[in-house]
Amino acid sequence: MPTQPPVALKPRKTPSQSRSRVTVDAIFEATIQVLLSQGMGELTTTVVAERAGVSVGTMYQYFPNKQALVYALNERFLTMLAERVEATCAQMQGRPIAEAAEALIDTYWAVKTERVELTQALYRSVAGLESDALLHAFAARVDRATTQMFRQASNSPLPDESALNLLLTTVIYGAVRNAFERGLDGEEISALKSELKAMCRAYLTSVGE
Amino acid sequence: MPTQPPVALKPRKTPSQSRSRVTVDAIFEATIQVLLSQGMGELTTTVVAERAGVSVGTMYQYFPNKQALVYALNERFLTMLAERVEATCAQMQGRPIAEAAEALIDTYWAVKTERVELTQALYRSVAGLESDALLHAFAARVDRATTQMFRQASNSPLPDESALNLLLTTVIYGAVRNAFERGLDGEEISALKSELKAMCRAYLTSVGE
Amino acid sequence: MPTQPPVALKPRKTPSQSRSRVTVDAIFEATIQVLLSQGMGELTTTVVAERAGVSVGTMYQYFPNKQALVYALNERFLTMLAERVEATCAQMQGRPIAEAAEALIDTYWAVKTERVELTQALYRSVAGLESDALLHAFAARVDRATTQMFRQASNSPLPDESALNLLLTTVIYGAVRNAFERGLDGEEISALKSELKAMCRAYLTSVGE
Amino acid sequence: MPTQPPVALKPRKTPSQSRSRVTVDAIFEATIQVLLSQGMGELTTTVVAERAGVSVGTMYQYFPNKQALVYALNERFLTMLAERVEATCAQMQGRPIAEAAEALIDTYWAVKTERVELTQALYRSVAGLESDALLHAFAARVDRATTQMFRQASNSPLPDESALNLLLTTVIYGAVRNAFERGLDGEEISALKSELKAMCRAYLTSVGE
DNA sequence: CATGAATGAGAGTTCATTCAT
DNA sequence: GATGAATGAACTCTCATTCAT
């Protein structure tokens, strides 16, 4: 159970009714738009509400404050990301470990590629938040999935799978993020991706014998 | 030539006189303290000036606006980091490439370790800024140094050194950053560091033969 | 004829049907609860409606606006108070004037004692209202009763009964209110009560000879 | 030492410099004007600042929030009132007790008469505040002065002076307040004043023998 | 040059009231 | 009639920036 953030950061009510769902989605979408076109500095409640076609009051019906909105948006994104990672892990169950690692790289890379600016913007938006709890919870969830994938790989590796998992995920997440933060062109970036895979393979081969 | 940021972000004058130097340093130090103890949200000009023992007016003598202060602080840090990387590169000139990579890891790791919270705080402070220019300039400078180091290594590698440099730096910077963002304990983190080195070594071996 | 308050302050309809009666009572009760536990600042329509177990819309069926609700609550309380004073006056008809005064003190004191916090809260709630009309109407009604009581006392007093009534009521209402506004303990307060009676008696004796 | 109110209610800095003094006075005066002409409901920070000829920001330089402003205004008034009562008490030192009581009535009556609407407005303004501490501190201060005056009267009274003080002050403060809350004309009100004095005299005579 | 009181645009947030369902 | 989501005007408060002293 992650520690509660100091101010309320979760939606006031679960958006279950279809009416609410639409409204909440519109607010999320508006937030993303503003985040992309203007940045965190220009993300004001008024602007978001306007963009979403609702009143500020309505926004506050669903989010107790501005922070909570940004927090929820990040949560939504991280949940999606976690689900995709989990799907990959399920699919790669029992396959050779190098292939598993490569699949993990592909998944992360794909998410980044799909919405480069958005992931960038979200990284920035979360910087001003009390978001450690959220990020740690996400990390824990994803780690659980990948650790299990690596443990149950066909060519079971070293005794300490959790250390292996830590290394691979740290390298993969870090490298992918860093790769996209540089403004590389298509060719460079795809070359980089293959080499990253090669590096993981090389390492796994070296420890696997 | 990096695009100019929309508002002036550089100090109005080079702090050459010793009086100014002291003042500017006090302001930087105060900014760091506030950033560490309160976070970016509480970083107000009044608070910084107070902490630095100067008046707001004086602060504006040296920094045209608040952004410029944060920008300059980051610039100062990145310059220091670049210098240390350059020093490492100079020192590793002509050594085997794997050793060079390890030295790069050690340098980055050392900087992070010395001031974990500060680097974290600076990452956050820069998130709200038009700082792409700064970061790209820094990346270019550091890349120049490392590329040269790798090119002139005793066991000169592949034809495309710049691709090799890209891979190694992306992996190293990304992984180091990611490693410190998780709240790992001393043992985990030092194990991680050796494995990261091992991974680089394994890769270089695999492509070097 | 008291001046009309600027916005409608009376319930839209007399709550004659038993259904309505129950609803209105629930709303009143909820208002009192909120007033006591949270104070006037937290008395919002949403909170009251929730506490009363009805929707805001329903509340607006019975009270055209928030002011009207508070106004009506005060009116209800003042009516009750007036009725008790009138009962006392009827009962004291023809008795010696000093006894009448003492009975008046007892009645006021009793009402205050029964619901100290409520009377206090009501005083506060009425402070932000255009309530002069209400309070004057109440004063006039009560004055009518007491004046008559004093006039028809067995030992009829001075020629100017209305001046006598003014003095006695002013002193009694003022003193009782002031007494309860200080946070006195049981002993002090009951001693104060007897002395207040003694004072009235002394005065009446002095003018009655 | 009175309990601290939950939110800061005292001015941020003592207005000692003459520049500040002027500003603070302008703000107080503006607050009074708004209170008198519009009432507590219309007392907004913007309106007060405008009326005072300063910016909102300046207001917040001297008062941490709106409550604090109203609180300080009441404090200022009560301090003045306390000083006048203390002056009266000093002057009446050693005089017969009935005269002392009459002087107390005169003092209170004078203050009320001088600024009827203001005292009314202040009563209302304080109703929405966490002002118990302030009022109790004021009551204690004034009680100290009057108790001493009664104790050292030439015709020293009953053994329990503090009970006597309680009765007299409760009756006087309560009655005076109540008298002015009714909208009496000049004749009625001066007649009432003499009778109030007469009543105190009668009581003191009755217990003094 | 240094100071820091003054500024005021603009941010986040609340809540009485309405009206489509 | 009852509901409660939606509204948006209005409020309090902040803080980067200026400029008279």
Side-chain angles (χ1 to χ4, degrees):
Chain A
M1 197 194 314
T3 10
Q4 283 304 322
V7 286
L9 292 178
K10 306 281 298 260
R12 221 167 237 159
K13 47 152 67 179
T14 330
S16 53
Q17 303 84 359
S18 68
R19 190 102 136 81
S20 308
R21 188 102 197 92
V22 169
T23 306
V24 168
D25 280 348
I27 293 170
F28 275 144
E29 205 44 56
T31 310
I32 291 173
Q33 280 179 37
V34 175
L35 229 35
L36 289 181
S37 64
Q38 319 274 111
M40 192 58 180
E42 270 59 38
L43 190 91
T44 68
T45 51
T46 326
V47 168
V48 169
E50 211 165 306
R51 220 22 176 264
V54 299
S55 68
V56 231
T58 298
M59 252 195 57
Y60 277 87
Q61 199 110 40
Y62 296 101
F63 303 96
N65 51 53
K66 199 180 105 172
Q67 274 189 61
L69 168 62
V70 177
Y71 189 95
L73 185 63
N74 275 278
E75 196 175 34
R76 192 160 157 268
F77 177 78
L78 291 176
T79 300
M80 181 271 282
L81 183 50
E83 281 164 359
R84 289 183 59 166
V85 170
E86 286 168 346
T88 300
C89 292
Q91 205 180 303
M92 287 292 138
Q93 196 83 284
R95 303 281 288 278
I97 199 162
E99 283 181 31
E102 288 186 34
L104 192 55
I105 292 172
D106 283 328
T107 300
Y108 258 85
W109 211 277
V111 172
K112 284 275 180 183
T113 306
E114 283 163 26
R115 315 198 67 172
V116 198
E117 285 94 356
L118 178 58
T119 54
Q120 228 90 299
L122 287 180
Y123 273 131
R124 287 179 181 179
S125 77
V126 101
L129 250 62
E130 223 70 65
S131 55
D132 291 2
L134 177 60
L135 295 174
H136 279 85
F138 165 72
R141 173 172 174 182
V142 169
D143 274 354
R144 221 173 301 127
T146 53
T147 305
Q148 161 134 347
M149 170 174 70
F150 292 135
R151 182 185 308 126
Q152 307 192 344
S154 64
N155 49 346
S156 194
L158 303 177
D160 192 349
E161 300 104 355
S162 110
L164 176 65
N165 179 68
L166 182 58
L167 174 67
L168 287 174
T169 53
T170 300
V171 166
I172 292 172
Y173 306 158
V176 174
R177 174 172 179 174
N178 192 290
F180 282 90
E181 270 171 8
R182 308 169 173 232
L184 306 176
D185 60 56
E187 200 157 332
E188 289 173 309
I189 212 155
S190 76
L192 184 53
K193 188 180 167 189
S194 339
E195 290 312 301
L196 177 58
K197 288 182 177 178
M199 188 182 252
C200 290
R201 246 183 285 120
Y203 173 76
L204 289 168
T205 311
S206 79
V207 299
E209 60 201 25
Chain B
M1 198 194 313
T3 12
Q4 283 306 321
V7 286
L9 290 179
K10 307 279 300 256
R12 222 167 240 158
K13 48 149 63 183
T14 332
S16 53
Q17 304 85 353
S18 70
R19 193 104 143 73
S20 308
R21 187 103 198 90
V22 169
T23 305
V24 167
D25 280 348
I27 293 170
F28 276 142
E29 204 44 54
T31 310
I32 291 173
Q33 279 181 35
V34 175
L35 228 35
L36 289 180
S37 65
Q38 319 272 107
M40 191 59 179
E42 271 60 38
L43 190 90
T44 68
T45 51
T46 324
V47 168
V48 170
E50 207 167 317
R51 201 78 154 231
V54 299
S55 69
V56 237
T58 299
M59 253 193 58
Y60 274 83
Q61 202 80 34
Y62 295 101
F63 302 96
N65 51 53
K66 195 181 125 178
Q67 273 188 62
L69 168 62
V70 177
Y71 190 95
L73 185 64
N74 276 277
E75 195 174 35
R76 191 162 157 267
F77 177 78
L78 290 177
T79 301
M80 180 273 282
L81 184 50
E83 282 165 0
R84 288 183 62 166
V85 171
E86 286 167 345
T88 299
C89 291
Q91 203 180 305
M92 287 291 139
Q93 197 80 284
R95 304 280 290 276
I97 199 161
E99 284 181 32
E102 288 187 32
L104 193 55
I105 293 174
D106 283 327
T107 299
Y108 257 84
W109 211 276
V111 172
K112 283 276 182 185
T113 308
E114 282 163 27
R115 315 199 68 172
V116 198
E117 285 96 356
L118 179 59
T119 53
Q120 228 91 301
L122 287 179
Y123 274 131
R124 284 176 183 186
S125 77
V126 101
L129 247 62
E130 223 67 63
S131 55
D132 291 1
L134 178 61
L135 295 173
H136 278 87
F138 164 74
R141 174 173 172 181
V142 169
D143 273 354
R144 222 173 300 128
T146 52
T147 307
Q148 162 136 347
M149 170 173 71
F150 291 135
R151 182 184 310 126
Q152 307 192 344
S154 65
N155 52 345
S156 193
L158 303 178
D160 192 350
E161 299 105 353
S162 111
L164 175 66
N165 180 69
L166 182 57
L167 174 67
L168 287 175
T169 52
T170 300
V171 166
I172 292 173
Y173 306 158
V176 175
R177 174 170 181 176
N178 192 291
F180 281 90
E181 271 172 6
R182 308 169 170 231
L184 305 177
D185 60 56
E187 200 156 335
E188 286 172 311
I189 210 154
S190 74
L192 184 54
K193 189 180 165 191
S194 355
E195 290 312 302
L196 178 58
K197 287 181 178 178
M199 189 181 249
C200 290
R201 246 183 286 122
Y203 173 75
L204 289 168
T205 309
S206 82
V207 298
E209 60 202 22
Chain C
M1 196 196 314
T3 12
Q4 282 307 321
V7 287
L9 291 178
K10 307 281 299 259
R12 223 166 240 159
K13 49 148 63 182
T14 331
S16 54
Q17 304 86 353
S18 71
R19 193 103 144 76
S20 310
R21 186 101 196 93
V22 169
T23 305
V24 168
D25 280 349
I27 293 170
F28 276 143
E29 204 43 56
T31 309
I32 290 173
Q33 279 180 37
V34 175
L35 228 34
L36 289 181
S37 64
Q38 318 273 107
M40 190 60 179
E42 271 60 36
L43 190 90
T44 67
T45 50
T46 325
V47 168
V48 169
E50 207 167 317
R51 199 91 151 220
V54 299
S55 69
V56 237
T58 299
M59 253 194 56
Y60 274 83
Q61 203 80 35
Y62 295 102
F63 302 96
N65 51 52
K66 197 182 127 179
Q67 275 188 59
L69 167 62
V70 177
Y71 190 95
L73 185 64
N74 276 278
E75 195 175 35
R76 191 163 157 266
F77 177 77
L78 291 176
T79 301
M80 180 273 281
L81 183 51
E83 282 165 358
R84 289 184 58 168
V85 170
E86 286 168 345
T88 300
C89 291
Q91 203 180 304
M92 285 293 139
Q93 197 82 284
R95 302 282 289 278
I97 199 163
E99 282 181 32
E102 287 187 32
L104 193 55
I105 293 172
D106 283 329
T107 300
Y108 257 85
W109 211 276
V111 172
K112 284 276 180 182
T113 308
E114 282 162 27
R115 315 200 69 173
V116 198
E117 285 95 355
L118 178 59
T119 54
Q120 227 92 299
L122 287 178
Y123 273 132
R124 285 176 182 186
S125 77
V126 100
L129 247 62
E130 224 68 65
S131 57
D132 291 0
L134 176 62
L135 295 173
H136 279 87
F138 164 72
R141 174 173 172 181
V142 169
D143 274 354
R144 222 173 298 126
T146 52
T147 306
Q148 161 136 348
M149 170 174 70
F150 291 136
R151 181 183 309 123
Q152 306 191 345
S154 66
N155 50 347
S156 191
L158 303 179
D160 192 349
E161 298 105 354
S162 112
L164 176 64
N165 179 68
L166 183 58
L167 174 67
L168 287 174
T169 53
T170 300
V171 166
I172 291 173
Y173 306 158
V176 174
R177 174 170 181 176
N178 193 290
F180 280 91
E181 270 172 6
R182 307 168 172 233
L184 307 176
D185 61 56
E187 200 157 332
E188 288 173 310
I189 212 156
S190 75
L192 185 54
K193 189 180 166 189
S194 353
E195 289 312 301
L196 178 59
K197 287 181 176 177
M199 189 182 249
C200 290
R201 246 183 285 120
Y203 173 75
L204 289 168
T205 310
S206 81
V207 299
E209 61 201 21
Chain D
M1 198 193 313
T3 12
Q4 284 305 321
V7 286
L9 291 179
K10 307 281 299 261
R12 220 168 237 160
K13 47 154 66 181
T14 331
S16 55
Q17 303 85 358
S18 67
R19 191 100 137 76
S20 309
R21 188 100 197 93
V22 170
T23 305
V24 168
D25 280 348
I27 294 170
F28 275 144
E29 203 46 53
T31 310
I32 291 173
Q33 280 179 36
V34 175
L35 228 36
L36 290 181
S37 64
Q38 319 273 110
M40 191 60 180
E42 269 63 36
L43 190 92
T44 69
T45 51
T46 326
V47 168
V48 169
E50 210 166 306
R51 231 356 189 272
V54 299
S55 68
V56 229
T58 298
M59 253 196 56
Y60 276 87
Q61 198 111 40
Y62 295 101
F63 302 97
N65 50 54
K66 199 180 106 172
Q67 274 189 61
L69 168 63
V70 177
Y71 189 93
L73 185 63
N74 276 278
E75 197 174 33
R76 192 161 157 269
F77 178 77
L78 291 176
T79 300
M80 180 272 282
L81 184 49
E83 282 164 0
R84 289 183 60 166
V85 170
E86 286 169 346
T88 300
C89 292
Q91 203 180 303
M92 287 292 138
Q93 196 84 284
R95 303 282 287 278
I97 201 162
E99 283 180 31
E102 289 186 32
L104 192 56
I105 293 172
D106 283 328
T107 300
Y108 258 84
W109 212 275
V111 173
K112 284 274 180 184
T113 308
E114 283 162 26
R115 315 199 66 173
V116 198
E117 284 96 355
L118 177 60
T119 53
Q120 230 89 302
L122 288 179
Y123 273 131
R124 284 176 183 184
S125 76
V126 101
L129 250 60
E130 223 68 66
S131 56
D132 291 1
L134 177 62
L135 295 173
H136 278 85
F138 165 72
R141 174 173 174 181
V142 168
D143 274 354
R144 222 173 301 126
T146 52
T147 307
Q148 162 135 345
M149 169 173 71
F150 292 136
R151 182 184 309 125
Q152 305 192 345
S154 65
N155 50 346
S156 194
L158 302 179
D160 192 349
E161 300 105 353
S162 110
L164 176 65
N165 179 69
L166 183 57
L167 174 67
L168 287 174
T169 53
T170 300
V171 166
I172 292 172
Y173 306 158
V176 174
R177 174 171 180 176
N178 192 290
F180 281 90
E181 271 171 8
R182 308 170 171 231
L184 306 177
D185 59 55
E187 201 157 333
E188 288 173 310
I189 211 156
S190 75
L192 184 54
K193 188 181 167 189
S194 342
E195 289 312 302
L196 177 58
K197 287 182 178 179
M199 187 182 252
C200 290
R201 245 183 286 121
Y203 172 76
L204 289 168
T205 309
S206 81
V207 298
E209 63 202 20

